[in-house]
């Protein structure tokens, strides 16, 4: 038989690109724009609502690096659109389709309530489904002109600090429209994507590959490319059988958890992470309303705390999502910190502060360490985790090793003292999966523990401001739940995956003893010396401040332990232990601010130590020993201190 696969596949790709995808929106009308540029740093929405807006047209440049613009978008749903699904579709000038590393936006309603974020692969805002026709539309867009710092690769750039980035606009506002989404065409696109991606992953000698090819060919034959909306249902009918074939019982089992890894600082400053988290969390809570099977795994208590402070509406939606089971707090740590340079006490505090926040604010006692992107892991972690009541550990970064591939994906990690924690790093080799067939096929092929274990975890969603999971990913997950030729997919919380994996494999899983060393990013342990010096000095001063403040609270009448101040300073230090701040892999702006933060912490901690020491001094001077060992040698004072002592004053060791 003639092999016409290349012809059919080429026809399919062209039809999808030129005719089917463009037909998803069947009617469009422009929205009227007006704009206000925020003077200086970002402002709350209440201030933006009172801003002075001027007329603005599409095709106009906007956005010097790191600036914020607010846009009003106004219009009305045409009456003839009654009964149809209407959305606002916004493109503020995306330069490519990479989410999270360029212009980003959060859309609010006319009263200033956040709706959801927009990104290159997630540009829509729900308006009406179905529309009544004639509804007024008034939206407010907070647009961040974040530069694409890596547009020229990892090379020196002036874009890495607002002080050097310049004033030239980065973006040209492309469009803001109301549009009718043809849901049948949209579903047809997803049907074709799932099947065509799977087909290309199957060997050429597998019957299943050819069955899918012919089903896709029949769908194209049923489709009139000049009337895609009118014939999309017929095309979908040709794919029903191919999509309905169940997976084999021996198929690899994927536990999928929605995810949006957000670096707390990296190619953007801390203040921008506050907004990245808000945009993403707004997206996820909106998505859960449409897809109740969603489970979004989200770590880093610090980012929750930011959203609670800056976006109370989104915070309330998060609390509801946690209660509904569509949101799973994970990670047990204040941030996804570096896991080598912080001292043992600091790593313990990361876990204590993280678990406390999740328990007190959301009623969840987290059970895992979640560090997909940190640059290697100290062998002290299993012991610390176990002492904190943590049962599981997850990382992805080990897949980045340059020479020695880790021999297992699921194993017991044994620490210095022999403590073990059940550990997994996903064989999909990404923490931003999109449910492509190539990703799932790679997870199945790559899984090192086949034969004894049958399941792995796939975190899916766009990270770093990309908005997390999308409705397209959720639809793909539904189609891939049980599909012949592909691993099965079940969306579930990470705790369910770990429980089932440990039950299946825990008694037989191998043991990895000692450090989990990453063969990459080695230079991060020598760069940005001031950042590292600030961290270590802060750790030492915090120990000393807590020691003398505790002693003063116990022995000095009237002294009040400065709990709130020390709690706040600890959280500042823990934040700066994030795995792109402390290692030195962030932009210049981040490290400039880190140096300032450490200096403020030093001054404040020095004041706390001085106040506690003064309270302990009583009527005479005291020599205080901060080491963990008794000291019996003579205390040697400098000349200035000795001269200040009253004649014959006793020196009292404490």
């Amino acid at each position: 038989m003639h092999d016409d696969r290349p012809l059919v596949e080429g026809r399919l790709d062209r039809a999808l690109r030129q005719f089917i995808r463009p037909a998803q929106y069947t009617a469009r009308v422009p929205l009227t724009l007006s704009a206000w540029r925020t003077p200086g740093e970002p402002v709350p929405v209440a201030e933006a609502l009172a801003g002075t807006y001027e007329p603005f047209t599409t095709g106009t440049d906007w956005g010097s690096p790191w600036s914020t613009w607010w846009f009003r978008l106004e219009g009305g749903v045409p009456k003839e659109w009654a009964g149809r699904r209407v959305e606002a579709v916004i493109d503020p000038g995306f330069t490519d389709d990479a989410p999270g590393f360029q212009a980003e936006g959060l859309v609010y309603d006319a009263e200033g309530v956040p709706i959801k974020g927009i990104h290159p692969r997630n540009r829509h805002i729900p308006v009406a489904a179905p529309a009544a026709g004639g509804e007024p539309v008034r939206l407010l867009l907070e647009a961040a002109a974040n530069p694409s710092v890596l547009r020229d690769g990892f090379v020196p750039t002036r874009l890495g600090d607002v002080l050097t980035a310049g004033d030239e606009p980065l973006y040209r506002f492309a469009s803001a429209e109301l549009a009718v989404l043809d849901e049948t065409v949209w579903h047809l696109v997803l049907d074709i994507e799932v099947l065509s991606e799977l087909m290309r992953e199957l060997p050429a000698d597998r019957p299943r590959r050819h069955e899918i090819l012919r089903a896709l060919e029949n769908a194209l034959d049923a489709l009139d490319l000049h009337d895609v909306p009118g014939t999309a249902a017929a095309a979908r009918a040709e794919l029903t059988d191919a999509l309905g074939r169940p997976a084999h019982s021996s198929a690899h089992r994927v536990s999928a958890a929605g995810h949006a890894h957000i670096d707390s600082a990296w190619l953007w400053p801390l203040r921008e992470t506050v907004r990245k988290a808000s945009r993403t969390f707004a997206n996820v809570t909106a998505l859960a309303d449409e897809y109740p099977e969603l489970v979004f795994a989200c770590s880093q208590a610090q980012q929750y705390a930011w959203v609670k402070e800056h976006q109370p509406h989104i915070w309330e939606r998060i609390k509801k999502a946690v209660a509904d089971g569509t949101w799973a707090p994970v990670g047990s740590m204040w941030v996804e910190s570096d896991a080598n340079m912080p001292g043992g006490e600091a790593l313990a505090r990361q876990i204590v502060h993280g678990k406390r926040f999740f328990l007190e604010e959301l009623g969840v006692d987290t059970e895992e360490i979640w560090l997909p992107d940190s640059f290697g892991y100290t062998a002290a972690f299993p012991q610390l985790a176990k002492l904190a009541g943590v049962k599981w550990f997850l990382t992805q970064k080990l897949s980045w090793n340059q020479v020695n591939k880790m021999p297992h994906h699921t194993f017991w990690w044994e620490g210095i003292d022999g403590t073990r924690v059940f550990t997994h790093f996903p064989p999909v080799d990404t923490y931003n999966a999109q449910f492509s067939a190539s990703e799932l096929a790679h997870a199945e092929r790559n899984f090192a523990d086949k034969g004894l274990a049958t399941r792995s975890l796939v975190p899916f969603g766009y990270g770093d401001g990309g908005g997390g999971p999308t409705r397209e990913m959720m639809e793909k997950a539904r189609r891939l739940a049980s599909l012949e030729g592909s691993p099965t997919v079940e969306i579930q919380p990470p705790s369910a995956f770990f429980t089932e994996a440990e039950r299946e494999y825990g008694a037989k899983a191998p043991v990895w003893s000692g450090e989990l060393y990453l063969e990459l990013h080695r230079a991060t342990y020598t760069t940005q010396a001031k950042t590292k010096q600030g961290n270590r000095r802060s750790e030492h001063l915090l120990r000393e401040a807590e020691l003398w403040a505790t002693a003063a609270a116990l022995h000095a009448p009237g002294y009040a332990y400065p709990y709130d101040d020390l709690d706040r300073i600890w959280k500042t230090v823990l934040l700066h232990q994030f795995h792109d701040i402390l290692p030195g892999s962030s932009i210049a702006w981040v490290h400039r601010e880190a140096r300032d933060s450490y200096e403020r912490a030093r001054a404040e901690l020095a004041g706390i130590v001085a106040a506690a020491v003064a309270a302990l001094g009583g009527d005479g001077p005291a020599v205080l020993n901060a080491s963990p060992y008794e000291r019996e040698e003579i205390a040697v004072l400098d000349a200035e201190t000795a001269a200040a002592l009253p004649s014959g004053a006793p020196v009292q060791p404490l």
Side-chain angles (χ1 to χ4, degrees):
M1 180 177 178
H2 174 62
D3 185 3
D4 63 349
R5 285 180 298 129
L7 294 175
V8 177
E9 291 171 7
R11 177 190 174 199
L12 176 69
D13 292 341
R14 182 182 177 190
L16 191 61
R17 180 179 65 254
Q18 294 185 358
F19 296 95
I20 307 174
R21 282 200 182 100
Q24 292 176 95
Y25 287 105
T26 57
R28 299 172 183 260
V29 295
L31 290 162
T32 301
L33 296 175
S34 56
W36 174 59
R37 174 175 178 169
T38 302
E41 285 293 280
V43 300
V45 65
E47 188 172 335
L49 288 169
T52 303
Y53 290 78
E54 298 179 353
F56 188 90
T57 58
T58 57
T60 302
D61 292 342
W62 70 279
S64 60
W66 304 113
S67 66
T68 298
W69 288 52
W70 291 80
F71 295 93
R72 280 184 174 152
L73 296 76
E74 299 176 297
V77 176
K79 292 184 178 180
E80 59 269 25
W81 290 3
R84 308 175 77 180
R85 181 171 185 141
V86 179
E87 299 177 342
V89 184
I90 306 169
D91 181 354
F94 298 126
T95 54
D96 54 44
D97 67 348
F101 295 91
Q102 52 174 302
E104 299 176 40
L106 180 59
V107 177
Y108 298 78
D109 67 15
E111 283 70 47
V113 177
I115 303 173
K116 66 181 288 288
I118 58 166
H119 311 279
R121 300 185 192 179
N122 194 352
R123 306 180 185 197
H124 72 279
I125 302 296
V127 172
E135 296 98 322
V137 176
R138 295 182 64 225
L139 301 171
L140 189 63
L141 167 65
E142 179 192 26
N146 298 335
S148 180
V149 173
L150 293 183
R151 65 185 181 187
D152 298 319
F154 285 94
V155 297
T157 174
R158 293 184 178 275
L159 294 173
D161 196 324
V162 69
L163 301 179
T164 59
D167 296 321
E168 289 297 316
L170 295 174
Y171 301 104
R172 178 167 294 171
F173 205 107
S175 61
E177 302 169 316
L178 292 180
V180 173
L181 177 67
D182 189 308
E183 295 183 76
T184 304
V185 177
W186 181 69
H187 279 290
L188 175 61
V189 170
L190 291 161
D191 291 346
I192 292 173
E193 286 182 349
V194 167
L195 286 173
S196 63
E197 289 172 1
L198 174 58
M199 175 184 68
R200 287 170 166 88
E201 289 300 317
L202 296 172
D205 59 357
R206 289 273 294 275
R208 174 66 165 157
R209 175 165 182 152
H210 296 271
E211 291 167 1
I212 293 174
L213 179 73
R214 297 309 160 197
L216 290 168
E217 184 179 31
N218 292 338
L220 287 177
D221 291 343
L223 194 67
D224 182 349
L225 296 182
H226 299 289
D227 183 18
V228 173
T231 55
R236 290 198 71 198
E238 296 293 337
L239 301 176
T240 301
D241 181 67
L243 285 167
R245 300 281 185 91
H248 295 303
S249 60
S250 61
H252 183 68
R253 291 183 287 177
V254 162
S255 296
H259 191 233
H261 174 73
I262 303 175
D263 285 319
S264 290
W266 181 32
L267 305 179
W268 48 85
L270 288 169
R271 63 89 155 149
E272 194 56 33
T273 313
V274 177
R275 301 199 292 178
K276 284 178 179 283
S278 297
R279 299 175 197 121
T280 297
F281 295 175
N283 277 7
V284 172
T285 51
L287 186 66
D289 289 338
E290 289 191 77
Y291 295 91
E293 73 267 31
L294 173 66
V295 178
F296 180 65
C298 185
S299 66
Q300 304 196 79
Q302 171 68 87
Q303 294 180 9
Y304 288 75
W306 280 331
V307 172
K308 179 185 178 184
E309 177 184 356
H310 295 279
Q311 293 286 0
H313 289 285
I314 299 174
W315 175 246
E316 291 302 316
R317 285 155 58 176
I318 290 172
K319 291 198 295 185
K320 180 180 183 300
V322 171
D324 292 344
T326 59
W327 188 296
V330 296
S332 305
M333 298 177 69
W334 190 248
V335 296
E336 291 182 11
S337 74
D338 180 80
N340 283 317
M341 285 181 290
E345 178 66 24
L347 288 175
R349 299 294 181 114
Q350 288 281 0
I351 300 172
V352 167
H353 280 286
K355 285 181 70 71
R356 179 183 296 159
F357 181 92
F358 291 131
L359 187 60
E360 292 181 352
E361 297 290 345
L362 299 170
V364 176
D365 188 9
T366 51
E367 298 179 294
E368 66 289 295
I369 300 293
W370 185 278
L371 292 176
D373 195 35
S374 298
F375 308 159
Y377 308 92
T378 171
F381 244 127
Q383 181 181 7
L384 291 170
K386 201 66 171 284
L387 288 170
V390 168
K391 298 190 287 188
W392 306 306
F393 187 93
L394 179 134
T395 178
Q396 181 65 69
K397 203 69 170 188
L398 297 177
S399 66
W400 293 37
N401 271 7
Q402 294 172 299
V403 178
N404 298 292
K405 181 176 179 177
M406 283 289 293
H408 297 281
H409 287 99
T410 305
F411 54 93
W412 290 99
W413 180 21
E414 183 177 84
I416 296 170
D417 70 335
T419 300
R420 295 177 181 178
V421 59
F422 195 66
T423 299
H424 180 71
F425 80 94
V428 70
D429 285 351
T430 180
Y431 42 79
N432 297 314
Q434 302 168 40
F435 286 131
S436 70
S438 60
E439 290 171 337
L440 297 181
H442 177 76
E444 184 173 46
R445 288 192 298 263
N446 188 43
F447 187 48
D449 304 294
K450 290 187 286 284
L452 294 173
T454 65
R455 67 181 69 240
S456 67
L457 184 67
V458 171
F460 69 94
Y462 297 122
D464 283 333
T470 65
R471 60 185 180 181
E472 288 78 13
M473 294 176 193
M474 297 301 297
E475 288 291 339
K476 284 190 170 185
R478 287 178 172 180
R479 289 160 173 80
L480 291 163
S482 179
L483 183 62
E484 183 185 352
S486 174
T488 63
V489 172
E490 180 180 3
I491 296 176
Q492 58 182 181
S495 60
F497 161 76
F498 274 109
T499 298
E500 293 169 10
E502 188 174 354
R503 182 185 302 119
E504 173 189 62
Y505 190 42
K508 299 167 286 187
V511 176
W512 180 274
S513 183
E515 177 185 6
L516 292 176
Y517 179 69
L518 177 68
E519 298 173 350
L520 198 67
H521 299 344
R522 295 173 180 85
T524 60
Y525 292 103
T526 56
T527 190
Q528 296 294 340
K530 286 291 185 183
T531 301
K532 293 169 172 59
Q533 183 184 59
N535 173 72
R536 186 63 75 234
R537 184 59 180 143
S538 295
E539 288 184 344
H540 291 169
L541 280 171
L542 276 162
R543 176 186 177 277
E544 209 168 330
E546 289 185 329
L547 174 64
W548 302 131
T550 301
L554 293 172
H555 298 292
Y559 179 86
Y561 186 86
Y563 177 87
D564 290 339
D565 291 335
L566 288 169
D567 183 75
R568 172 177 46 79
I569 297 169
W570 256 119
K571 288 174 180 174
T572 297
V573 174
L574 297 179
L575 167 59
H576 285 83
Q577 290 174 345
F578 179 75
H579 66 254
D580 277 311
I581 302 179
L582 181 54
S585 45
S586 290
I587 56 174
W589 190 351
V590 173
H591 294 293
R592 172 171 58 83
E593 289 192 331
R595 291 192 295 271
D596 293 342
S597 294
Y598 284 131
E599 176 55 30
R600 288 192 296 271
R602 185 207 61 77
E604 194 167 359
L605 289 169
I608 292 173
V609 170
V613 169
L616 287 165
D619 296 329
V623 175
L624 306 179
N625 173 23
S627 80
Y629 305 103
E630 293 184 3
R631 301 183 63 176
E632 299 178 354
E633 68 271 25
I634 296 174
V636 179
L637 307 180
D638 60 71
E640 182 179 354
T641 303
L645 293 176
S647 177
V651 176
Q652 303 167 350
L654 185 69

